[in-house]
Amino acid sequence: MIDLQFADKTVVITGGASNIGRGIVHAFAAQQANIVLVDIDEEKARATCEEALELGAQGCAFMKADLSSSEGCIAVINDAIDVNGGIDVLVNNFGWGDPGLLLSTTPEQWDALWRMNLNCTIACSQTALAHMKAHQKGNIVSLASDAAQGVPNQSVYGALKAGVVAFTKAIANEFGRYKVRANVIAPGIVLPKEGAAGERSVWNRGQTVLTDKQVQDTYNLSALRRGTDPGDIANAVLFFASEVTARQVTGQTLSVSGGWWMP
Ligand SMILES: NC(=O)c1ccc[n+]([C@@H]2O[C@H](COP(=O)([O-])OP(=O)(O)OC[C@H]3O[C@@H](n4cnc5c(N)ncnc54)[C@H](O)[C@@H]3O)[C@@H](O)[C@H]2O)c1
C-alpha cells in the first residue's frame, strides 16, 4: 500500500456513518489518519468508528450534528477543530437526493435539498477555510454527482451539485495562495451493501428510491456497465486529499461512475 502521509493528519468526514461516507472513513483509517466522523445517526456512526479503529485509524471521534442547518454545520466543524487542535482535510460527503419530476417538487423539498447539499458544503467549508488560511495549508474534497450534468428527475439536486462544483472552483482560486486545495468527486450510482446503510441514509427509508431495473438500466448507460462501490469513491478521495498524489491538483472534478459521464 502506498503511504499517502495521513498518519498525523486530522480528517473530518461529514455523513460518514454509512454507504459512501463509511467507505471514505475506512480508506482514511487504513492510512492511519485521525478521523472525526460527523453524522446524525449515532448507532451507525459508532459502529463505523469501531471499524475504523480496527482498520488502523489513529483515532476516530464521533460528533453528532444535524447538518441540515448552517448553525449545526458551523458549530460541529469549530468543535472538531478545537478538540483536535486543527483540521487537515475536510470531506464534504453529506448530501441527499430526492428524485422527482420538477412539477411535483414542492418548495419544502427544494429548500431541504438546498440545505443538505449546497448550504452544508458552503457552511462546513467556510468554517474550515478560516482555520486553513491561518495555517497556510489544508484540503477539501466535496461530493457532487453526475446528476450535475442535467438528469431528468434530479433537476434541483443536480443544480445544487453543479453549485458544489462552481463553489469548489471558486475556493480553489481564492485560497490557492494559502496552499489550500479543493476538488470534487462526482459519483455515479453507489448502492450500499446489505447492512451498510444507516437509519438516516437516503437508501434506507423503507421506500424504493430506484427499482432494480432502473439501477441496472443506469449501469448499462456507463461504459463499464457495472456498479460503483463506496471503496471506488474513497480511493478517489484519498488521491485528491493526499499531497503525495495530488500536490498540484486543485479546482478539479473527477467522475467515478464507470464512465457514465465523460467531460
Ligand atoms: N449513493 C449514490 O449513488 C450517490 C450518487 C451521486 C452522488 N452521491 C453523493 O455522495 C454523498 C454520499 O451519498 P450516500 O448515498 O452515501 O448517502 P447516504 O444517504 O447513504 O448517507 C448519508 C449519511 O448522512 C447522514 N445524515 C442524514 N441526515 C443527516 C443530517 N440531517 N445531519 C447529519 N447527517 C445526516 C446519514 O445518517 C448517513 O450516514 C452525498 O453527497 C450524495 O449526494 C451519492
Side-chain angles (χ1 to χ4, degrees):
M1 189 167 62
I2 311 174
D3 178 6
L4 297 174
Q5 295 178 10
F6 290 114
D8 55 349
K9 302 284 193 303
T10 294
V11 181
V12 179
I13 301 163
T14 65
S18 64
N19 203 23
I20 294 177
R22 176 170 170 254
I24 296 169
V25 168
H26 287 177
F28 278 105
Q31 292 287 334
Q32 283 108 49
N34 178 40
I35 294 165
V36 180
L37 193 172
V38 180
D39 206 288
I40 203 167
D41 186 335
E42 185 157 357
E43 190 184 333
K44 193 74 199 168
R46 292 206 182 279
T48 301
C49 259
E50 275 173 31
E51 292 162 4
L53 292 171
E54 277 164 26
L55 284 166
Q58 200 182 87
C60 187
F62 163 55
M63 291 194 169
K64 187 169 182 170
D66 182 351
L67 296 167
S68 66
S69 76
S70 301
E71 297 73 25
C73 293
I74 293 166
V76 77
I77 299 300
N78 275 327
D79 283 352
I81 291 169
D82 287 350
V83 169
N84 293 281
I87 178 171
D88 296 290
V89 179
L90 168 67
V91 183
N92 286 311
N93 167 72
F94 173 58
W96 190 72
D98 188 13
L101 292 170
L102 182 62
L103 293 186
S104 52
T105 305
T106 65
E108 290 73 27
Q109 277 171 307
W110 72 61
D111 182 56
L113 285 166
W114 146 253
R115 284 185 279 110
M116 294 202 239
N117 289 287
L118 187 49
N119 184 64
C120 177
T121 298
I122 294 170
C124 291
S125 299
Q126 193 212 42
T127 312
L129 281 165
H131 178 89
M132 290 173 175
K133 177 184 173 185
H135 290 80
Q136 303 270 306
K137 64 181 169 109
N139 205 292
I140 297 181
V141 183
S142 299
L143 277 280
S145 169
D146 278 352
Q149 298 316 302
V151 175
N153 277 315
Q154 306 205 45
S155 53
V156 179
Y157 173 75
L160 293 163
K161 290 300 196 183
V164 169
V165 173
F167 174 74
T168 300
K169 288 183 193 171
I171 60 173
N173 268 313
E174 206 172 315
F175 292 86
R177 72 196 65 185
Y178 308 115
K179 308 297 170 279
V180 175
R181 296 188 295 107
N183 292 285
V184 173
I185 308 289
I189 287 194
V190 184
L191 294 171
K193 301 254 182 295
E194 203 176 331
E199 277 291 303
R200 300 292 291 265
S201 167
V202 75
W203 301 104
N204 194 20
R205 288 160 188 265
Q207 58 182 28
T208 307
V209 178
L210 293 171
T211 65
D212 289 350
K213 181 171 183 317
Q214 284 172 316
V215 170
Q216 192 51 53
D217 287 350
T218 307
Y219 289 168
N220 289 344
L221 291 174
S222 74
L224 294 174
R225 290 171 168 69
R226 66 183 178 205
T228 305
D229 290 330
D232 296 317
I233 307 296
N235 285 336
V237 173
L238 286 182
F239 166 78
F240 273 146
S242 171
E243 292 296 296
V244 176
T245 48
R247 195 179 75 96
Q248 287 294 90
V249 182
T250 196
Q252 305 301 307
T253 299
L254 180 63
S255 172
V256 183
S257 59
W260 185 83
W261 173 45
M262 297 188 191

